[in-house]
């Protein structure tokens, strides 16, 4: 019964993936396109080498073409160079071992396989290193190690490599930029959700250590998202290298510049350190005294306003070089001004004679100051809106006075 349910779930998942590949653009469609391209490259290579040319080792052409339709054009070119080098080395070593042992295939394998298996682990060969012992095995198993046979093997491998690269570069060349946009949307939203959750949690009198640890786990995942974003950036940059069709692909827009990443790298790190300090102040640790009674409410107000600033970051929805709508700019500045005001009140507790200046309070003040300093890059100058608001109020009062 259990295996039947598992089988039904697998079939359902496959059907959903197949439907998404047809109806929407995404990883499923990308995988389907690359798979069909690889199959097409293999058929084309066989048609040229096996059907039209009738080459003695025609299998090598579709074999090579099939596996060189990689996830990026650059990777196809690099893998082709690696595979050609590996096949040449494996073939020449196998031929030399066969001559040395007097065509004794068993003795030749005992000599050449340990060498080629070790060569397959060489980092410069990458994932193509495994073809060194494979090429040696083919040579020794079929006894094809004459000069003409070696030339045919290399030429047909080269033919397959050229076909694989050409198909990957000229037929819907892969461009990867979707993950960058996806992560750019997730980071501000998840940062805002976490800050709002922590703000709501510290206002409550009851304290749940497990829930607090969950806050810190979420804060650590924000830094993991930044790592994923950096990986996606490198993946995107690679997909544009050696790609002649990058300007023809309209389905995936070019990723935005990485300046935004640097700002959010700092913001997520400051969120992590702030949440860690919040969690530590609630733990039973001798080195951290309790916070003043006003501090949790002020801190909650600060974190909630900081979360609003994160939530209002619309840089992923704006075209490059354009400004945010005036309403969004105003709301961001208003949230930034509220966060700054709350931080000023938190800092004043350090000098308040009624309370003892504890390491916990000092740490929270410093952590939130660094957080707000970097949030200014997306929240704007909080005094700009204040100035505009003062001018608007003054204008209104002047008009009212004139009317009277």
């Amino acid at each position: 019964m259990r295996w039947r349910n598992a089988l039904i779930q697998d079939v359902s998942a496959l059907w959903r993936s197949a439907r998404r590949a047809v109806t929407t653009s995404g990883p499923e469609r990308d995988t389907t396109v690359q798979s069909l391209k690889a199959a097409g490259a293999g058929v084309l290579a066989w048609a040229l080498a096996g059907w039209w040319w009738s080459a003695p080792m025609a299998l090598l052409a579709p074999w090579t073409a099939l596996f060189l339709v990689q996830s990026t054009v650059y990777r196809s070119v690099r893998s082709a160079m690696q595979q050609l080098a590996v096949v040449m080395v494996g073939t020449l070593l196998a031929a030399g071992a066969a001559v040395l042992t007097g065509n004794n295939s068993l003795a030749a394998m005992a000599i050449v396989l340990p060498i080629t298996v070790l060569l397959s682990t060489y980092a410069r060969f990458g994932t193509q290193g495994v073809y060194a012992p494979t090429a040696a095995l083919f040579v020794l198993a079929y006894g094809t190690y004459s000069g003409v046979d070696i030339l045919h093997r290399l030429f047909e491998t080269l033919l397959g490599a050229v076909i694989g690269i050409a198909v990957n570069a000229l037929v819907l060349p892969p461009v990867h930029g979707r993950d960058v946009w996806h992560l750019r949307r997730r980071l501000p939203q998840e940062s805002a959700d976490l800050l709002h959750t922590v703000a709501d949690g510290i206002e409550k009198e009851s304290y749940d250590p497990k829930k607090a640890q969950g806050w810190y786990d979420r804060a650590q995942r924000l830094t993991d998202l930044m790592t994923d974003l950096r990986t996606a950036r490198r993946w995107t940059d690679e997909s544009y290298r050696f790609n002649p069709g990058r300007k023809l692909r309209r389905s995936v827009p070019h990723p935005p510049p990485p300046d935004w990443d640097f700002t959010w790298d700092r913001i997520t790190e400051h969120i992590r350190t702030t949440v860690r300090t919040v969690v530590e102040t609630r733990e039973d640790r001798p080195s951290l005294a309790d916070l003043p009674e006003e501090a949790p409410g002020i801190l909650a107000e600060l974190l909630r306003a900081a979360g609003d600033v994160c939530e209002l970051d619309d840089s992923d929805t704006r075209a490059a070089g354009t400004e945010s709508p005036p309403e969004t700019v105003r709301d961001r500045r208003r949230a930034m001004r509220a966060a700054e005001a709350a931080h000023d009140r938190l800092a004043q507790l350090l000098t308040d004679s009624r309370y003892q200046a504890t390491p916990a309070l000092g740490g929270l003040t410093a952590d939130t100051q660094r957080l707000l300093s970097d949030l200014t890059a997306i929240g704007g100058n909080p005094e700009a809106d204040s100035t505009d608001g003062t001018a608007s109020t003054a204008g209104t009062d002047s008009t009212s006075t004139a009317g009277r």
Side-chain angles (χ1 to χ4, degrees):
M1 187 66 177
R2 186 175 299 173
W3 67 265
R4 183 182 301 172
N5 293 334
L7 180 61
I8 292 174
Q9 291 177 357
D10 290 343
V11 172
S12 300
L14 287 173
W15 170 249
R16 289 193 299 270
S17 297
R19 185 172 57 187
R20 284 195 297 266
V22 175
T23 58
T24 60
S25 61
E28 293 85 1
R29 178 174 292 181
D30 293 342
T31 301
T32 302
V33 169
Q34 289 300 105
S35 300
L36 294 176
K37 284 166 59 177
V43 171
L44 179 59
W46 176 256
L48 289 177
W51 178 71
W52 179 69
W53 185 28
S54 297
M57 298 177 189
L59 176 64
L60 292 176
W63 173 278
T64 305
L66 192 67
F67 292 105
L68 286 186
V69 180
Q70 301 279 328
S71 51
T72 66
V73 177
Y74 167 77
R75 194 154 296 200
S76 292
V77 175
R78 188 185 65 181
S79 298
M81 296 174 64
Q82 291 171 336
Q83 189 170 123
L84 287 171
V86 163
V87 169
M88 182 180 295
V89 170
T91 300
L92 292 177
L93 286 175
V99 172
L100 184 64
T101 59
N103 299 334
N104 187 325
S105 60
L106 180 59
M109 284 185 186
I111 294 173
V112 77
L113 285 183
I115 299 174
T116 53
V117 170
L118 283 174
L119 281 174
S120 69
T121 62
Y122 182 46
R124 296 284 185 183
F125 291 151
T127 58
Q128 305 300 315
V130 69
Y131 293 111
T134 303
L137 278 175
F138 278 141
V139 168
L140 296 174
Y142 292 101
T144 53
Y145 46 82
S146 67
V148 175
D149 292 332
I150 291 175
L151 288 176
H152 268 291
R153 182 178 297 276
L154 296 178
F155 182 78
E156 284 143 28
T157 301
L158 178 62
L159 176 64
V162 170
I163 292 174
I165 293 172
V167 169
N168 202 29
L170 301 178
V171 181
L172 296 176
V175 176
H176 303 288
R178 192 179 296 110
D179 288 345
V180 174
W181 287 103
H182 174 66
L183 291 168
R184 277 175 58 97
R185 293 187 183 96
R186 281 186 61 186
L187 268 169
Q189 187 59 54
E190 294 195 14
S191 298
D193 291 344
L194 174 59
L195 290 172
H196 290 158
T197 300
V198 175
D200 293 339
I202 61 179
E203 283 184 325
K204 298 178 181 178
E205 294 183 1
S206 60
Y207 174 70
D208 185 352
K210 291 184 177 179
K211 184 178 292 186
Q213 184 59 45
W215 298 342
Y216 185 61
D217 291 340
R218 288 176 61 182
Q220 286 185 306
R221 285 197 293 272
L222 289 179
T223 59
D224 293 339
L225 283 179
M226 281 305 311
T227 302
D228 293 341
L229 179 57
R230 285 191 288 269
T231 302
R233 283 279 185 192
R234 290 193 295 268
W235 189 245
T236 301
D237 293 341
E238 181 182 307
S239 72
Y240 278 85
R241 298 177 67 180
F242 301 157
N243 192 335
R246 62 185 183 274
K247 295 181 180 180
L248 302 177
R249 297 296 303 273
R250 304 296 184 185
S251 58
V252 179
H254 195 285
D259 298 346
W260 186 93
D261 304 355
F262 301 146
T263 300
W264 274 92
D265 192 13
R266 296 192 301 269
I267 290 173
T268 54
E269 180 60 26
H270 296 328
I271 290 175
R272 187 184 69 82
T273 56
T274 300
V275 173
R276 182 182 63 189
T277 306
V278 170
V279 173
E280 289 176 345
T281 59
R282 296 303 186 95
E283 293 178 347
D284 185 14
R285 299 182 59 183
S287 60
L288 293 172
D290 291 334
L291 293 173
E293 57 182 359
E294 289 93 342
I298 297 173
L299 182 62
E301 182 181 341
L302 191 160
L303 295 180
R304 189 173 292 110
D308 293 340
V309 176
C310 294
E311 194 171 35
L312 290 166
D313 181 15
D314 62 344
S315 57
D316 62 310
T317 59
R318 294 187 276 115
T322 61
E323 297 293 335
S324 301
E327 298 81 6
T328 303
V329 174
R330 185 182 63 249
D331 292 343
R332 277 204 307 259
R333 288 175 177 170
R334 186 176 299 159
M336 195 70 208
R337 193 168 63 253
E340 293 281 6
H343 184 270
D344 290 342
R345 289 157 50 204
L346 186 67
Q348 288 173 4
L349 296 179
L350 290 170
T351 57
D352 195 325
S353 58
R354 295 176 298 168
Y355 307 111
Q356 180 183 3
T358 64
L361 181 58
L364 283 173
T365 304
D367 291 339
T368 52
Q369 174 60 53
R370 287 190 288 267
L371 173 61
L372 296 183
S373 177
D374 284 317
L375 280 178
T376 305
I378 60 174
N381 182 7
E383 295 182 0
D385 187 58
S386 177
T387 304
D388 295 342
T390 303
S392 176
T393 303
T396 302
D397 294 343
S398 175
T399 302
S400 300
T401 303
R404 289 194 296 271

